[in-house]
Every structure is written in C-alpha cells, then in structure tokens.
Amino acid sequence: MPKITYVDADGTEHPVDAKTGVSLMETAIANNIDGIEAECGGSCMCATCHCFIEGDWSAKLPAMESEEDEMLGFAAEERRDSSRLSCQIKVTDDMEGMVVHLPAEQN
Amino acid sequence: MTDPVVIVGGGQAGVQLCLSLRKSKFDGPIVMYSAEADAPYHRPPLSKSFLLDKIGEDKLPMRPESFYPAKSVALHLNQAVTSIDLDARQVLSGNDRQPYSWLLMATGAAPRQLPVDGAELSGVHCLRSLDDSRAIKARLNEVDSLVVIGAGFIGLEVAAAARSLGKNVTVFDTADRVMARAVAPAISQWYQDMHLQSGVSLRLGEAISSIGGNNGQVTHVNCADGEVLDAQMVVVGIGVIPDAGLAEAAGLHCDNGVVVDEFCRTSDPFVFAAGDCANHPNPFAAVDRLRLESIQNATDQARVAAANIAALASGGAAESSSLTSYKAVPWFWSDQGEHSLQMAGLSFDADEYVMRGESTANSFSMYHYRSGKLLAVDSVNMPRDHMLARKLIEAGVSPGAEQAGDSAFDLKALLPSKA
Ligand SMILES: Cc1cc2nc3c(=O)[nH]c(=O)nc-3n(C[C@H](O)[C@H](O)[C@H](O)COP(=O)(O)OP(=O)(O)OC[C@H]3O[C@@H](n4cnc5c(N)ncnc54)[C@H](O)[C@@H]3O)c2cc1C
Ligand code: FES
C-alpha cells in the first residue's frame, strides 16, 4: 500500500494509500479525486485521465506503449515530458512517496 | 430551499451530469433514480473484457459508492420513475413524489427484441445491462456453441469473445456485410476476414425464421432457407430502441427518442435529455436530427445539459444566447479480438473513400468524403489517425484525397496552430 499524493492544478494535495495492482486512474477515482475524468473507463481511448509524474518518478515508470504515446499528443492540456495517461500505469509497491500532478482541464 | 436537480436514469449521462454540475460549482441538491440494482457502471466492458474475465465486477462501477454522498447526490437504486408531472414539476416513483427544479431524462435505450417465435426461450439473451452480461457469461461457461443474431458492434464483440474462449460461433445478419450501417465497406471486409480467420462462421445476407427449443430451453435456430442449426445459446444484438415511454406519457415531444434542441432542452423548458434517449440536432450529421448511442455522446450531452442547468440556476442565462450548445465531434470504439476499431465523425452517404496505410498491415484508416468534405474516419489499430481525425473534423479541415492516402504526409500539419 504505497502512499501516493495527487496534486490538483490549484495546488490542493490528496495523499492516498494506493492499492498495488490497481491503475493510477482507478486509485484517483476510488478516492474521489476530481482532476481525473476517465470518460472511457480506462480503455486508452479518451485521454481524460492525463497526469504529470513529478521528478525522477517519471523515468522510473515502465515505458509507455505506442497507443498511450499517440493519445497523449491530443490531451486537452499540452503534453509535457512528464505526461502519462493514468489508466495505463499500475501501482506497484516501490511507488511509495510518488507525486502525481493533475491538469486543470481534461476535455 | 430550492428543489433538487433530478436525474431519471443512473447511467453514463446521469453520472456525468453530477460530475459536471459539481465541477461548475453548482451546489444545490441532486437526486438520481436508477431502475437498476447496480450503481452506475461502465457498459463497454460488458461485451468485451468482462466477458473474458480480464476484468472483474469490482472494475465496473463508474464511481465508488462514496462518490454519491461526497458529491451530495441522493442515489435511489432499484427505483424506477413511474411518471412525471410537468405542470407541478414533480417526478413520481411509485407513491413517492419528488419535486425538481430541473430534470434530466437520461433513460438510455432498451435492446430491440427479435420478432420471431422462440425469442422468449431460456438461453436466448440480449445485452444491455450488467445483469444481461452476468447471465451471458454464466451460460457461456456451460455451452460449446452459440449463435449470434446481428453483426453489429455488440454482436461481433460477443462473437469474438466467445470464440477466444473456444466456443463454436455462428453470426447471422440480414445485411451483406458486417457493421454495414456504421463503417466503410473496406473495414467490413477486413473484419469479416479477421473473424473468419479466427474461426467464427459468418452467415451474411441470411435471416433466421424462428428459434426452437425443448422444455423451455433453446436447442436450435431455424434458418430462413430451411436449414436447422444447433444452438445451445443465442445472443441477439440487433440494435436498441430509445427508452422514451416515460417522457412521452408525460407529454414531452418525442419522435424516435426525446426530442431536444441544440441546448439539450426538451419541449419543456425545465426538462433536459441526454444520451441514447435524446433525439438531437448534430452539426456533424447530414440529417436534421438523430440519436447516437455512444459514451462520447452521453458524456458530452450531459456536459452541455450541466452547463445550461448551472447557468439557469444561477439566474445568469435568461437568454438563449448565453446557453451552451452541443457541438462535439462524434466518436466511438469497438474492440473485437485483439483489434481496436475507432471511428470519428458520422459517415452518412459518403461518395468517396480513401485508405491510409495498408489493410494487409493490420493497421490502416478509411477516410470518408462527401463532395470533397471529410465526414468521418474509421481506424483499425491506428489510434493516432483516430485522434487526428477528431481534431481535423472538429476544425472543419478536409485533407485532399492524395494527402490522406499518403502515409508519409503529415496530416497534423493541416491543423490550425493552437492560439
Ligand atoms: C454491451 C455494450 C457495449 C458498449 N460498448 C460501447 C463502446 O465500446 N463504446 C461506446 O462509445 N459506447 C458503447 N456502448 C454504448 C454506451 O454504453 C451507451 O451509449 C451509454 O451507456 C449511454 O448512456 P445513457 O446514460 O444514455 O444510458 P445508459 O447508460 O443506458 O443509462 C440509462 C439508465 O437509465 C435507467 N432507466 C431507464 N428508465 C428509467 C426510469 N424510468 N427510472 C429510473 N431509471 C431508468 C436504465 O435502467 C439505465 O440504468 C455499449 C453499450 C453496451 C450495452
Ligand atoms: S481513462 Fe480514457 S484514456 Fe485513460
């Protein structure tokens, strides 16, 4: 159960105890964090679960599949180097302390 | 205290209305009625990953139970709204009367029934709800063959799922190609080849005349040409009918669904409608109005209804000119076997098709044109083409046929640069 902190665009922090094996998107939804919309329910079809992974964590995560890469180019908020689709990342034990920033707009 | 916003229907549009109202800082009460016992859930997996046990029931709810109290939404499950009193602005559920300030009709649609003898036999299924999917899943475990009636998205998704579970699958459709109403002929052809290769038997241009059984259980289907085919199970996927009976009985203008204007407003100014049940004008359609059955449409219409209800509630939108209108590009997807089909735009009466990529390479797109204007793009395993198509159609940009057909040409360059 790693602790992961989601940070809204306005700076509000939401520390949560994440379950391993569940996606970062599902973790946000389960904790009623509004900055993730996830219109397609995690099918990698909507890019409304866009997030920015803070600092070194970005490099430590498993590389993205081409689909995620393509979808990110069309997210509502401009893609950055740290951009990921949260539905495509599964929580693992070593994510303890990870910080995930959320964009102001998802659609 | 003001009366709550009341939502009839706990589905995709209903949940989105709650999300969008709260996002727009609307803080009045919200009451949502659902005829189902399950809290609002994602329907797309019901014919895909859920049937294959790739995801369990725990992954289906759209939001956790805690969402509803956290957002001050009173969710009434298993409680159908039975009538609406437009004059008194109240909905009735049995003997309960619930006043509303604004009402959203988000009742969705019901599967069209197969009009043949035997359709009521046990083992004949349709697929709309979680309960339907549970029943199909349980039955699939016990049989080794099934017949699917209807080669539309849901029929083909179920066929592909059952085939990958090792079942013998036969699909009937009276049309001469699969997904005939929705995709370009070349896409139908590619999917037919794919399903045949995986071992699904396709009976296109063929109807069944009745379903036969023994002791109330389905045992076979009778084909129109007299052939009798064994069937331990039948899944019917021949489209849906909008759930508009309640609206019609209340006196709302209905015609193939609940008729709404571009603001998602019905013939009563205090009642909105969104999703599968809403017959609406759509700037991307060649017809005056239509219904769409997609996550995109339910979500985006609910966003529009929420924006308008929030504006009206704050007293800030007495004029139509300050209301938000529905103008989102339609899109849809379907997963069959290992392949991803994505559609953007509406492909009514195209007069020209252009292929980008090679259909033999298993990832390609078909661009639909009418009089040189790009109407729609169907993409097979090409998420980039799909996302780009949504942007091109939204911007009203039509790549030339040579440009669309040339994979080396960067279509993104045609998009207006972001301001
Ligand atoms: C198996 C399946 C797979 C699908 N796959 C895809 C896909 O891959 N991509 C895609 O874009 N779309 C897909 N769709 C379509 C998509 O799910 C629908 O378009 C969407 O759910 C419509 O949302 P809605 O809110 O209009 O209706 P629904 O989600 O159907 O919700 C309507 C709800 O209202 C309830 N209701 C009706 N009458 C009353 C009443 N009087 N009182 C109270 N409650 C009432 C119903 O029981 C239902 O729960 C799929 C649909 C199905 C069934
Ligand atoms: S939830 Fe739709 S792409 Fe992640």
Side-chain angles (χ1 to χ4, degrees):
Chain A
M1 294 261 285
K3 261 210 169 42
I4 295 179
T5 302
Y6 293 82
V7 185
D8 291 342
D10 69 4
T12 312
E13 298 192 357
H14 307 273
V16 305
D17 292 317
K19 266 202 212 123
T20 52
V22 172
S23 76
L24 280 183
M25 176 277 278
E26 291 166 310
T27 305
I29 299 285
N31 288 281
N32 290 314
I33 294 168
D34 295 337
I36 295 284
E37 293 203 1
E39 183 175 332
C40 77
S43 303
C44 205
M45 293 285 160
C46 70
T48 66
C49 64
H50 185 197
C51 67
F52 308 109
I53 308 290
E54 189 173 281
D56 297 343
W57 287 106
S58 200
K60 286 190 218 157
L61 294 180
M64 53 180 112
E65 303 274 338
S66 66
E67 283 190 17
E68 180 184 350
D69 197 12
E70 312 272 19
M71 293 301 284
L72 269 174
F74 298 93
E77 196 153 309
E78 195 82 37
R79 175 181 193 160
R80 301 179 202 158
D81 289 343
S82 61
S83 283
R84 294 296 300 255
L85 291 181
S86 59
C87 69
Q88 300 301 307
I89 301 170
K90 287 235 177 340
V91 172
T92 52
D93 277 327
D94 55 8
M95 288 182 183
E96 179 66 38
M98 189 163 86
V99 178
V100 179
H101 292 270
L102 303 175
E105 281 307 325
Q106 289 284 14
N107 83 282
Chain B
M1 208 178 91
T2 53
D3 290 328
V5 168
V6 172
I7 303 168
V8 189
Q12 190 76 27
V15 170
Q16 187 63 43
L17 191 87
C18 301
L19 282 165
S20 297
L21 278 177
R22 293 305 181 217
K23 192 166 182 227
S24 65
K25 305 282 180 249
F26 171 85
D27 59 3
I30 302 177
V31 177
M32 177 150 80
Y33 289 93
S34 176
E36 296 187 62
D38 295 294
Y41 51 84
H42 294 289
R43 286 178 206 275
L46 300 182
S47 50
K48 309 178 178 78
S49 46
F50 179 67
L51 277 189
L52 290 169
D53 257 336
K54 282 189 185 163
I55 67 166
E57 287 203 14
D58 58 316
K59 301 275 189 190
L60 292 178
M62 291 182 66
R63 290 292 183 270
E65 267 175 42
S66 60
F67 168 81
Y68 302 95
K71 297 287 171 191
S72 303
V73 176
L75 172 61
H76 298 292
L77 294 176
N78 235 336
Q79 212 176 321
V81 170
T82 44
S83 67
I84 304 168
D85 184 338
L86 296 176
D87 292 329
R89 277 188 240 160
Q90 292 179 338
V91 301
L92 278 87
S93 174
N95 291 325
D96 289 352
R97 279 186 174 268
Q98 171 65 58
Y100 61 82
S101 52
W102 278 277
L103 183 66
L104 180 75
M105 300 303 294
T107 48
R112 190 185 294 276
Q113 301 297 316
L114 193 64
V116 302
D117 286 344
E120 71 296 337
L121 288 166
S122 169
V124 179
H125 299 257
C126 59
L127 177 47
R128 177 73 193 182
S129 67
L130 176 50
D131 268 345
D132 295 337
S133 188
R134 287 178 181 129
I136 290 173
K137 202 168 160 172
R139 183 98 183 181
L140 269 175
N141 261 328
E142 295 163 4
V143 303
D144 29 57
S145 72
L146 92 154
V147 168
V148 174
I149 314 285
F153 298 114
I154 290 183
L156 292 176
E157 287 177 351
V158 171
R163 184 64 205 133
S164 72
L165 293 171
K167 313 297 173 189
N168 289 317
V169 183
T170 308
V171 181
F172 284 84
D173 200 302
T174 48
D176 60 2
R177 61 182 177 99
V178 301
M179 303 178 280
R181 284 182 308 143
V183 300
I187 302 278
S188 298
Q189 187 60 54
W190 189 90
Y191 271 89
Q192 283 161 210
D193 294 345
M194 185 276 283
H195 284 295
L196 286 172
Q197 250 166 41
S198 73
V200 171
S201 160
L202 292 177
R203 308 277 297 255
L204 299 172
E206 281 191 62
I208 65 151
S209 54
S210 65
I211 302 174
N214 191 358
N215 284 331
Q217 292 284 333
V218 61
T219 53
H220 61 276
V221 298
N222 297 306
C223 309
D225 65 5
E227 185 190 338
V228 178
L229 193 76
D230 280 348
Q232 298 165 310
M233 173 176 182
V234 175
V235 175
V236 180
I238 54 169
V240 296
I241 295 169
D243 227 324
L246 178 67
E248 193 155 22
L252 292 169
H253 181 201
C254 291
D255 177 13
N256 176 31
V258 186
V259 172
V260 296
D261 61 14
E262 72 263 48
F263 310 117
C264 292
R265 219 168 28 183
T266 67
S267 55
D268 182 299
F270 297 99
V271 184
F272 289 74
D276 286 13
C277 72
N279 188 341
H280 65 277
N282 191 306
F284 300 96
V287 291
D288 285 347
R289 43 176 60 254
L290 80 171
R291 283 189 317 101
L292 292 173
E293 295 143 16
S294 69
I295 297 300
Q296 172 279 321
N297 179 64
T299 308
D300 286 326
Q301 285 187 333
R303 285 182 176 129
V304 167
N308 291 334
I309 290 172
L312 291 162
S314 68
E319 305 285 326
S320 287
S321 60
S322 50
L323 292 178
T324 302
S325 51
Y326 179 56
K327 45 174 190 269
V329 176
W331 59 271
F332 188 79
W333 79 94
S334 173
D335 297 334
Q336 297 169 34
E338 295 300 307
H339 303 286
S340 160
L341 171 61
Q342 293 169 287
M343 290 141 278
L346 296 173
S347 54
F348 295 103
D349 36 63
D351 55 18
E352 185 185 4
Y353 297 107
V354 176
M355 186 179 295
R356 186 177 177 86
E358 297 289 333
S359 60
T360 47
N362 289 353
S363 51
F364 67 105
S365 297
M366 290 300 299
Y367 290 67
H368 303 234
Y369 289 89
R370 170 145 197 99
S371 311
K373 183 175 188 276
L374 181 65
L375 295 178
V377 179
D378 305 334
S379 304
V380 178
N381 300 319
M382 280 300 273
R384 185 186 151 80
D385 279 4
H386 170 71
M387 288 309 275
L388 199 50
R390 278 156 65 172
K391 298 284 173 192
L392 289 168
I393 294 167
E394 182 176 26
V397 173
S398 297
E402 342 57 68
Q403 295 173 329
D406 176 4
S407 300
F409 182 85
D410 181 15
L411 293 171
K412 202 170 184 179
L414 298 175
L415 283 175
S417 53
K418 273 190 192 163

